[in-house]
Amino acid sequence: MSRSVRRGIQCWAVVLLSSPVARAAELSASAPVMTDNTVQIAQATAPDETVPDETAPDTLRIVVTAEKTPAAAQDVPISLTVLTEQEIEAANITSLEDVAARVPNFSVFSAGGNRSFLTYSIRGLSNASVLNRDSVAFYVDDIPYENGNFLNTNLPDLERVEILRGPQSTLYGRSSIGGVVNIITRKPTNTFEFNGAASYGNFDDVDLQAAVGGPLVDDQLFYRLSGSYGRRDGYVDNLFLDEDVDPQSGGNGRAQLLWTPSDEWEVLLTGSFDDYRDGASTFLPLDADPFEANLNEPGFSDLEANTQALKVSYTHPNFQATSITARRYARNREAFDADFSPLDFVAVQANASSTIFSQELRLQSPQTDGPFQWLVGGYLESRTFNIDSGLLLGADGFTPGLNLTRSESESQTAALFGQVSYQPVEALTLTAGLRYEANESTLETLERTFTPTGSPISFPSGNSFDEIDNNGDALLPRLAAEYRFSPNVMAYGSIARGYRPAGVNFQATVAEAVPFGAERSWNYEAGLKSSWLDDRLGVNLAVFHNDVDDFQVTFFNPGINASLVTGAGAQITGAELEVRAVPVEGLTVTAGLGLIDGELTNLTNPFTGESSDASELLAAPDVTYNVAVQYRAPFGLLGRVELLGSGTTFFDEANTIKQAPFALVNARLGYEFERYGVYLFANNLFDTEYITGGFTTATGDVATYGVPATYGVQLKAQF
């Protein structure tokens, strides 16, 4: 089976634990649908407190919790992009793909909006090797997810999104070699509030979102409920069966209960679910019409997931303590036509499930302006993953039947981490961090069978294995220094060790191929953050170099077998430039540029024996850029235009399937009343066609494509 086909059947999720992100400031019940042009987020407070606006409107001071304590984004010595609540509302950002399009050197590719699998990368490090841990860590309200595939859903009720580029190991419970994506939703408050949105567009696209919250017991117990439902017709027309290939329907929900029995204690209980019933993955011949297919197998993709988390925080004059306990279950079932033709030759079937328990404990210094800040923590995770994946051979092929691979695996992670910062003089801050992480992986069982069509008997069709272990550990340091030339100009530099642990290959054909080694890197970064003109102009620049050893790469043979090798190396160099400006009242301009120059070396395909001295990174455009111009008039008119671009992108190890540079144009026009808003929108305005994935089959190259032009109307209300 090809690499991308195997990606399509990958479906596991993890809930890990993170730190105390403070609650956002209380929202006013009388707030309009869209606030003023300020892109500021007030420092978090207790639900019964009000934070004075210490920054004038139209400034660029954004408070984040990227380093586990509220701080202005301009003061954080990390290459960091923040999408604020105002920007999320104005651009109607509701998915991970929407987020990435507005972030330098962060790319997300989905198959025309298909939820079965996302391919993504930060600074050239991607999830293309589906057998191992992702290079990016995803957090929703401090709950870590093992990968972003279970975030390929609607994201309602967002407060902000923070994207940290580069390895994050000394502040986060789950380490990541490429970066971290923090998704923060709105929290319960001491004031009743409601917000909702409904939109309708072409492809009979209906999208509904709503949230409601307020006090159950004034000043002590608060709730918030949020969720979304959507459905649309497919983008791809199956001419053979006269139906859409890839329709979508389903929704999600989240419930939060916040208890503050005293000023020192805060207890937050969270539960969420996802339930989607979609059409099949859409792999089409590379040279064919991207929105027409001739398939005899209609296929499907079902996703079910639920999460429960308990976060307890205690604030003492001398320290803060946080505990987060979480469980997550997820299941994905899917089938799709794997010969990409009307022939009854071969289809893919898969059923994968994952259950994860995690616990994080953390102590940190109080939120003061003292010269010494510290944080220490511990993290535990236990995960089980089961998958049945197979090829269903039809009557037009060889012997009809099901060739099935069934595997069960377990993994455990334990980590201790910490970081200290010290100011020897007022302008200089020195930071040192260290993480120790130990991982244990076990392939409990792997068996291959073939069951002829109509037969009650299954026959062995390959090697079977039981109880194969692979363990490893790592010590991950980080050193950083920042120097403030003035209150508005800061430079920083850092050196950090990155790590992707060893593991077990749940699709291996021989016992020797089950364990694979760890991937390690050294990351060097320097940056400059500045604001000018009374905070009406912000300019940030970062440059980096990433030296990776034993790069983990997954190869697939023409059947269903996979092998992960770690002999390759990678050298990745790049830069990020971001500009935010408010030149006049009501007018905002944001722009970002990301550059990457990277390649894999000493790469050998274990199935063919072919080697390459240099291969481009997968799903990692050499250029990403975004420009948005928005004007909000005092009388309620809103206009926004965006240009979102991507450079040359490769999707296979041989670098034969690629997408040339392309750009998308989005537009939005609306009128906002005090509590309501009505908007017209158009995305991919010029109907640009572009590839989002691809691989080589025995009959030729196939690819998935991006979303075509979509347009519609949206209504919003807030009380």
Side-chain angles (χ1 to χ4, degrees), residues 9 279-281 297-302 333-337 347-350:
I9 63 176
S281 302
E297 169 60 54
F300 65 90
S301 179
D302 296 344
R333 297 173 59 251
E334 76 166 326
F336 60 89
D337 194 323
V348 164
Q349 294 184 353

Side-chain angles (χ1 to χ4, degrees), residues 676-699:
Y676 305 93
V678 57
Y679 310 86
L680 300 175
F681 64 86
N683 297 321
N684 191 4
L685 186 62
F686 298 106
D687 202 21
T688 301
E689 295 180 1
Y690 58 99
I691 296 171
T692 59
F695 56 90
T696 300
T697 72
T699 58

Side-chain angles (χ1 to χ4, degrees), residues 298-380:
F300 65 90
S301 179
D302 296 344
L303 170 63
E304 303 170 7
N306 61 78
T307 303
Q308 303 82 40
L310 177 65
K311 176 181 175 182
V312 180
S313 301
Y314 174 73
T315 300
H316 185 273
N318 297 321
F319 66 89
Q320 297 178 75
T322 302
S323 167
I324 306 179
T325 308
R327 171 198 175 271
R328 181 171 175 86
Y329 170 81
R331 181 186 181 190
N332 176 252
R333 297 173 59 251
E334 76 166 326
F336 60 89
D337 194 323
D339 56 62
F340 320 108
S341 76
L343 296 175
D344 184 16
F345 185 68
V346 61
V348 164
Q349 294 184 353
N351 183 357
S353 64
S354 170
T355 302
I356 297 175
F357 294 89
S358 59
Q359 173 67 57
E360 180 172 339
L361 295 173
R362 184 173 60 252
L363 295 174
Q364 64 187 99
S365 55
Q367 296 176 14
T368 64
D369 295 327
F372 183 70
Q373 299 288 313
W374 55 270
L375 180 148
V376 294
Y379 177 73
L380 296 173

Side-chain angles (χ1 to χ4, degrees), residues 360-665:
E360 180 172 339
L361 295 173
R362 184 173 60 252
L363 295 174
Q364 64 187 99
S365 55
Q367 296 176 14
T368 64
D369 295 327
F372 183 70
Q373 299 288 313
W374 55 270
L375 180 148
V376 294
Y379 177 73
L380 296 173
E381 173 193 313
S382 176
R383 170 178 178 259
T384 61
F385 177 66
N386 303 325
I387 181 169
D388 298 344
S389 60
L391 298 181
L392 181 62
L393 306 179
D396 294 334
F398 299 100
T399 304
L402 177 62
N403 195 0
L404 181 68
T405 299
R406 175 173 294 163
S407 66
E408 299 178 6
S409 58
E410 295 183 356
S411 63
Q412 289 79 39
T413 298
L416 296 173
F417 55 93
Q419 182 169 294
V420 296
S421 297
Y422 178 65
Q423 287 182 285
V425 295
E426 185 175 358
L428 177 66
T429 302
L430 304 176
T431 299
L434 187 64
R435 177 189 187 87
Y436 174 75
E437 179 173 322
N439 298 274
E440 298 180 359
S441 300
T442 302
L443 182 64
E444 298 289 342
T445 182
L446 186 154
E447 62 178 9
R448 288 186 170 85
T449 59
F450 179 75
T451 305
T453 300
S455 171
I457 302 175
S458 298
F459 304 94
S461 60
N463 294 325
S464 297
F465 320 114
D466 293 294
E467 299 295 331
I468 299 180
D469 299 324
N470 190 21
N471 304 327
D473 61 1
L475 199 61
L476 309 174
R478 177 179 184 262
L479 298 174
E482 59 179 288
Y483 187 82
R484 187 163 295 281
F485 296 95
S486 72
N488 296 321
V489 179
M490 181 263 284
Y492 70 90
S494 66
I495 302 173
R497 187 72 158 150
Y499 173 68
R500 190 151 33 174
V504 292
N505 177 2
F506 55 82
Q507 295 291 319
T509 57
V510 295
E512 292 77 10
V514 171
F516 58 83
E519 175 182 313
R520 304 171 192 268
S521 66
W522 281 107
N523 300 261
Y524 308 90
E525 179 177 327
L528 180 70
K529 294 192 173 186
S530 64
S531 60
W532 311 89
L533 305 176
D534 294 327
D535 286 339
R536 291 180 177 270
L537 173 65
V539 180
N540 295 341
L541 173 67
V543 295
F544 65 90
H545 177 75
N546 190 356
D547 187 359
V548 187
D549 293 324
D550 293 325
F551 199 98
Q552 296 174 350
V553 182
T554 301
F555 288 92
F556 290 89
N557 72 354
I560 61 173
N561 305 320
S563 179
L564 191 149
V565 297
T566 57
Q571 300 287 323
I572 308 171
T573 302
E576 290 113 16
L577 172 67
E578 292 186 283
V579 177
R580 290 175 177 261
V582 185
V584 297
E585 183 177 355
L587 179 65
T588 61
V589 180
T590 58
L593 173 66
L595 304 174
I596 290 178
D597 180 14
E599 63 182 18
L600 298 177
T601 58
N602 301 320
L603 187 63
T604 301
N605 188 320
F607 294 110
T608 65
E610 296 179 354
S611 61
S612 172
D613 291 334
S615 178
E616 298 293 332
L617 301 169
L618 301 186
D622 56 355
V623 177
T624 56
Y625 58 91
N626 60 280
V627 179
V629 179
Q630 175 181 304
Y631 180 70
R632 176 174 281 114
F635 55 85
L637 183 67
L638 171 71
R640 182 181 178 92
V641 178
E642 294 181 302
L643 178 67
L644 310 174
S646 184
T648 302
T649 309
F650 295 90
F651 293 102
D652 66 325
E653 289 81 3
N655 292 167
T656 58
I657 301 175
K658 73 175 183 178
Q659 170 61 52
F662 70 95
L664 307 179
V665 176

